């Protein structure tokens, strides 16, 4: 299929194109210089053209997500997708079924999504659900920081062996990168405990969270992975935890040679000052100051959206705290020798003091960090809000007036403590393109995503809004409406969504890293690990690996390690 998108206002930050009127040519699923012959023309005059959206942190697939669906039947009753000639039926709301997940991302112009956390042992389930999600390319980050074999190697400072083992795991389970969740704290949760600082000891491995973060950061570089370590910090969701966040960022400062080496995720949940829920306040200024002064860190927001959410994380101790506070129904689970998981439904309320402070923190961080290439738009779906809320977030970032509309309704004591009302900054469309696609694609190391240069994947979003006539600051509702339903979503060179409706049902690729590890190191490490595997796991090592033919559309990235 050949497509020519004509006369749109193009926002392509990776190629430094800021709202220029241009034509975009597509052939055989790629962006090309020009095309001729039989061509489908799309008149994009007075519309915005951007690369397809890239979400680098969302929980959309796996046993944890599916358990959330089972836990919350009430979540689906009022949000039903009917079957049509093109699309399958499905349900929402906070945890949509697989098909509905793909459709709703596509309707907003998103074309690539990374599942943010999967334990190796549960990743076969994750891939089965990823296979079932249409319309988008995807991948999954592998939770490795509380893995017993990894902790054992790190505690002995056997980094080469640990790197070989992690490289083998990523190959075996078809993972994309190293996810860290409450390092050491999750292991201690197995004994009813948690860590309070990044220097607490984690018996029986006698290692600290600081040593785990640093060790995995070094291993990430040894393996030459496309994405940095992806860190969910200790003490998530507790008053005063902004200090833990800053200490966690500081602890790898000497490992950077000028490049970005750390991504901290859903930073809103890690940005709390105060000593109790009563004294809770925002740590956004301190966090933004650190990030502005230190170029080796990227963040994503985990922005709160008022309304229903379903919190789910491998951070078992945090979920226990939330269960204790909310008294809502919950699930908590242990994943043998690897990690834990918990799920608690939650509703964020404007009049709740703590929820209002949480809402302000994410936006304050986004507005105070000067470089949009290092702070990205997420809701940590479905923890802080739904991915379908992204158009609301875009409006809040682009319009002080939109923020003020919410501020009129939030808890008054919370409002008196916020700095958000004083912030004048409003994002431009160019900056929105960075925080929703260009920056996230670059952070993930997906070189063919997030831009419209020659040779890029033909993933394109067209929004029916004229950037030269609209004032987003005042007309934020029009912006929100346009980003909610893309005029066109083009995936792999096919028109898959038109006027916000699914036009064609397709399946995207699953990215994973195929790391090249020296054969002698790999053989000796796996020989050593096999004995531990027999001791620790209830499954055989032979049954642990996921074969490539179990992925519907496998897209391995060949990685030459530095081992």
């Amino acid at each position: 299929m050949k497509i020519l998108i004509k006369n749109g206002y193009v926002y392509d930050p990776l190629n430094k194109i800021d709202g220029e009127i241009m034509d975009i040519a597509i052939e055989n699923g790629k962006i090309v210089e020009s095309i001729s012959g039989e061509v489908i023309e799309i008149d994009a005059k007075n519309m915005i053209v951007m690369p397809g959206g890239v979400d680098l942190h969302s929980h959309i697939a796996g046993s944890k997500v599916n358990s959330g669906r089972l836990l919350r039947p009430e979540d689906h009753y009022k949000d039903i997708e009917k079957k049509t000639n093109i699309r399958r039926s499905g349900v929402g709301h906070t945890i949509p079924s697989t098909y509905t997940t793909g459709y709703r991302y596509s309707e907003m112009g998103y074309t690539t999504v990374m599942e943010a956390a999967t334990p190796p042992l549960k990743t076969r389930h994750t891939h089965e659900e990823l296979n079932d999600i249409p319309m988008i390319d995807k991948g999954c980050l592998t939770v490795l920081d509380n893995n017993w074999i990894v902790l054992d190697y790190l505690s002995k400072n056997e980094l080469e062996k640990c790197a070989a083992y992690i490289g083998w795991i990523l190959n075996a389970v078809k993972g994309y990168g190293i996810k860290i969740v409450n390092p050491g704290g999750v292991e201690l949760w197995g004994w009813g405990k948690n860590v309070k600082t990044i220097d607490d000891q984690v018996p029986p491995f006698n290692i600290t969270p600081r040593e785990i973060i640093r060790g995995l950061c070094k291993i990430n570089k040894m393996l030459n992975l496309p994405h940095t370590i992806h860190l969910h910090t200790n003490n998530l969701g507790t008053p005063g935890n902004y200090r833990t966040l800053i200490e966690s960022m500081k602890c790898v400062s000497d490992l950077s040679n000028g490049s970005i080496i750390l991504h901290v995720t859903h930073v809103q949940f890690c940005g709390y000052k105060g000593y109790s829920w009563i004294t809770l306040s925002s740590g956004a200024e301190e966090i933004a100051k650190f990030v502005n002064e230190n170029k080796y860190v990227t963040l994503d927001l985990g922005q709160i959206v008022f309304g229903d959410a379903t919190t789910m994380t491998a951070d078992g101790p945090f979920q226990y705290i939330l269960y204790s506070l909310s008294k809502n129904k919950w699930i908590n689970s242990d994943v043998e020798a690897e990690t834990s998981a918990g799920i608690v439904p939650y509703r964020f309320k404007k009049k709740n003091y703590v929820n209002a402070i949480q809402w302000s923190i994410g936006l304050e961080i986004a507005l105070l960090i000067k470089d949009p290439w290092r702070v990205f738009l997420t809701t940590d779906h479905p923890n802080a809000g739904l991915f379908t809320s992204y158009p609301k977030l875009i409006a809040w970032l682009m319009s002080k007036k939109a923020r003020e509309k919410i501020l009129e309704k939030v808890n008054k004591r919370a409002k008196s403590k916020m700095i958000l009302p004083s912030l004048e900054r409003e994002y431009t469309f160019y900056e929105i393109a960075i925080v929703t696609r260009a920056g996230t694609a670059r952070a993930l190391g997906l070189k063919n995503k997030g831009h419209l240069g020659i040779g890029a994947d033909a993933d394109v979003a067209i929004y029916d809004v004229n950037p030269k006539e609209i004032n987003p600051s005042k007309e934020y509702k029009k912006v929100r409406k346009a980003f909610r339903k893309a005029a066109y979503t083009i995936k792999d060179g096919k028109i898959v969504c038109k006027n916000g409706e699914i036009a064609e049902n397709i399946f995207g690729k699953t990215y994973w890293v195929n790391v090249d590890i020296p054969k002698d190191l790999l053989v000796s490490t796996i020989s050593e690990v096999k004995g531990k595997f027999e001791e620790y796991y209830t499954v055989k090592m032979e049954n642990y690996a996921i074969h490539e033919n179990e992925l519907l559309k496998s897209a391995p990235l060949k990685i030459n390690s530095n081992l």
Side-chain angles (χ1 to χ4, degrees):
M1 180 180 287
K2 298 178 185 177
I3 300 174
L4 183 62
I5 304 168
K6 297 194 68 173
N7 297 319
Y9 289 107
V10 174
Y11 291 86
D12 182 7
L14 280 167
N15 290 301
K16 303 185 187 310
I17 297 170
D18 184 5
E20 295 177 32
I21 295 178
M22 297 175 64
D23 295 345
I24 301 293
I26 294 170
E27 185 172 11
N28 295 326
K30 295 288 183 182
I31 306 294
V32 296
E33 181 75 38
S34 61
I35 48 176
S36 58
E38 190 174 341
V39 172
I40 296 173
E41 284 193 3
I42 295 176
D43 182 5
K45 186 178 180 181
N46 297 329
M47 296 187 188
I48 284 175
V49 179
M50 290 183 177
V54 178
D55 192 345
L56 90 168
H57 188 104
S58 185
H59 299 279
I60 58 171
S63 58
K64 176 175 78 256
V65 175
N66 206 41
S67 296
R69 295 187 187 108
L70 295 170
L71 181 69
R72 301 204 65 189
E74 77 283 1
D75 192 49
H76 314 308
Y77 294 153
K78 295 180 181 178
D79 190 358
I80 299 169
E81 295 278 3
K82 292 182 180 178
K83 180 181 181 299
T84 71
N85 291 334
I86 298 171
R87 60 190 294 166
R88 284 197 10 192
S89 60
V91 292
H93 168 56
T94 63
I95 323 167
S97 52
T98 51
Y99 271 75
T100 300
T101 296
Y103 295 148
R104 290 185 177 178
Y105 265 114
S106 186
E107 287 166 358
M108 297 192 305
Y110 272 74
T111 52
T112 304
V113 182
M114 189 63 64
E115 162 53 49
T118 178
L121 192 59
K122 300 285 188 178
T123 303
R124 177 167 277 108
H125 185 151
T126 304
H127 281 303
E128 287 169 349
E129 290 202 12
L130 291 177
N131 285 343
D132 209 41
I133 296 177
M135 316 305 290
I136 54 174
D137 290 335
K138 48 256 177 178
C140 54
L141 301 177
T142 307
V143 179
L144 290 162
D145 57 301
N146 287 283
N147 182 297
W148 287 2
I149 296 172
V150 170
L151 290 177
D152 195 31
Y153 277 136
L154 290 178
S155 67
K156 296 173 182 171
N157 201 30
E158 295 180 324
L159 295 188
E160 273 206 347
K161 289 181 179 179
C162 193
Y165 177 58
I166 287 176
W168 174 82
I169 286 185
L170 293 173
N171 289 354
V173 304
K174 309 297 180 275
Y176 189 80
I178 297 174
K179 177 69 183 291
I180 303 172
V181 180
N182 186 2
V186 171
E187 169 55 24
L188 274 179
W189 176 238
W191 307 94
K193 301 177 182 176
N194 196 358
V195 295
K196 293 184 178 178
T197 78
I198 66 169
D199 293 311
D200 286 2
Q201 286 289 321
V202 182
F205 299 98
N206 296 320
I207 192 170
T208 65
R210 181 190 298 274
E211 291 167 331
I212 297 171
I213 297 169
R214 286 181 57 82
L216 291 175
C217 189
K218 292 175 184 175
I219 285 168
N220 206 82
K221 295 172 73 173
M222 293 163 77
L223 292 174
N224 197 25
L225 297 180
H227 183 41
T228 64
I229 53 171
H230 195 104
L231 174 63
H232 159 143
T233 56
N234 302 105
N235 290 328
L236 179 130
T238 57
N241 66 2
Y242 82 102
R243 295 188 188 88
T244 308
L245 166 62
I246 291 175
E247 281 303 306
S248 300
M249 292 191 288
K250 278 182 182 177
C251 86
V252 295
S253 61
D254 62 312
L255 302 180
S256 173
N257 57 1
S259 60
I260 291 171
I261 56 167
L262 171 65
H263 179 80
V264 178
T265 191
H266 40 65
V267 67
Q268 170 276 134
F269 284 118
C270 319
Y272 305 160
K273 288 173 74 174
Y275 298 96
S276 70
W277 295 114
I278 296 173
T279 61
L280 188 80
S281 61
S282 171
E285 286 181 291
E286 288 81 357
I287 294 166
K289 181 175 187 295
F290 183 90
V291 174
N292 285 333
E293 292 173 353
N294 294 277
K295 309 299 184 188
Y296 60 86
V297 182
T298 59
L299 311 175
D300 69 80
L301 293 180
Q303 173 64 37
I304 292 290
V305 181
F306 295 115
D308 282 337
T310 301
T311 67
M312 54 177 64
T313 171
D315 195 340
F318 165 72
Q319 290 294 57
Y320 177 71
I321 293 170
L322 190 58
Y323 156 71
S324 301
L325 289 169
S326 69
K327 301 302 181 188
N328 288 338
K329 56 186 175 182
W330 75 313
I331 293 173
N332 208 249
S333 174
D334 177 69
V335 182
E336 54 187 83
E338 292 186 348
T339 186
S340 67
I343 304 168
V344 182
Y346 193 78
R347 183 172 181 80
F348 293 99
K349 301 173 183 173
K350 295 186 184 77
K351 295 299 183 185
N352 179 291
Y353 173 78
V354 171
N355 292 168
I357 292 289
Q358 290 176 306
W359 175 78
S360 72
I361 289 173
L363 291 172
E364 288 168 358
I365 289 172
L367 296 168
L368 289 170
I369 290 179
K370 298 173 183 173
D371 181 2
W373 289 97
R374 294 195 296 120
V375 57
F376 309 128
L377 185 154
T378 68
T379 59
D380 186 21
H381 168 87
N383 283 288
L386 318 185
F387 68 79
T388 49
S389 302
Y390 289 174
K392 275 187 188 176
L393 273 65
I394 289 170
W396 290 337
L397 291 175
M398 297 191 79
S399 168
K400 185 178 181 185
K401 183 179 177 183
R403 301 192 292 266
E404 288 173 343
K405 282 289 182 185
I406 303 296
L407 286 167
E408 290 172 4
K409 302 172 184 173
V410 300
N411 179 286
K412 290 182 180 176
R413 187 167 77 89
K415 183 179 175 181
S416 70
K417 289 180 174 289
M418 296 176 187
I419 60 167
L420 185 62
S422 68
L423 299 178
E424 301 291 334
R425 184 179 173 189
E426 294 175 328
Y427 274 45
T428 65
F429 284 114
Y430 188 75
E431 289 174 315
I432 291 297
I434 294 171
V435 301
T436 59
R437 47 210 79 209
T440 46
R442 190 170 78 172
L444 287 170
L446 291 169
K447 295 181 179 178
N448 292 330
K449 302 292 185 187
H451 71 99
L452 299 172
I454 306 303
D457 289 351
D459 296 350
V460 187
I462 304 174
Y463 299 106
D464 188 6
V465 60
N466 186 336
K468 302 304 177 185
E469 292 186 354
I470 195 170
N471 180 348
S473 177
K474 296 180 179 177
E475 300 172 279
Y476 63 88
K477 291 182 181 177
K478 291 182 180 178
V479 174
R480 193 171 63 201
K481 182 181 178 183
F483 279 86
R484 185 173 290 150
K485 296 282 187 182
Y488 290 89
T489 302
I490 298 170
K491 177 82 192 77
D492 290 331
K494 297 177 180 176
I495 299 171
V496 296
C497 189
K498 188 174 179 182
N499 297 324
E501 300 292 332
I502 300 301
E504 183 177 349
N505 193 62
I506 66 165
F507 285 89
K509 301 178 284 290
T510 298
Y511 290 101
W512 57 282
V513 292
N514 185 3
V515 186
D516 180 35
I517 303 165
K519 190 174 180 180
D520 55 345
L521 175 62
L522 181 63
V523 169
S524 63
T525 302
I526 295 305
S527 175
E528 189 173 282
V529 165
K530 201 164 186 176
K532 296 179 182 177
F533 215 96
E534 293 288 330
E535 182 181 352
Y536 295 162
Y537 282 92
T538 58
V539 298
K540 291 284 186 183
M541 199 171 188
E542 291 77 8
N543 298 325
Y544 195 73
I546 298 166
H547 298 287
E548 193 172 358
N549 61 13
E550 295 182 59
L551 275 54
L552 189 65
K553 286 189 176 180
S554 173
L557 297 185
K558 184 71 177 172
I559 305 295
N560 293 316
S561 74
N562 297 320
L563 289 168

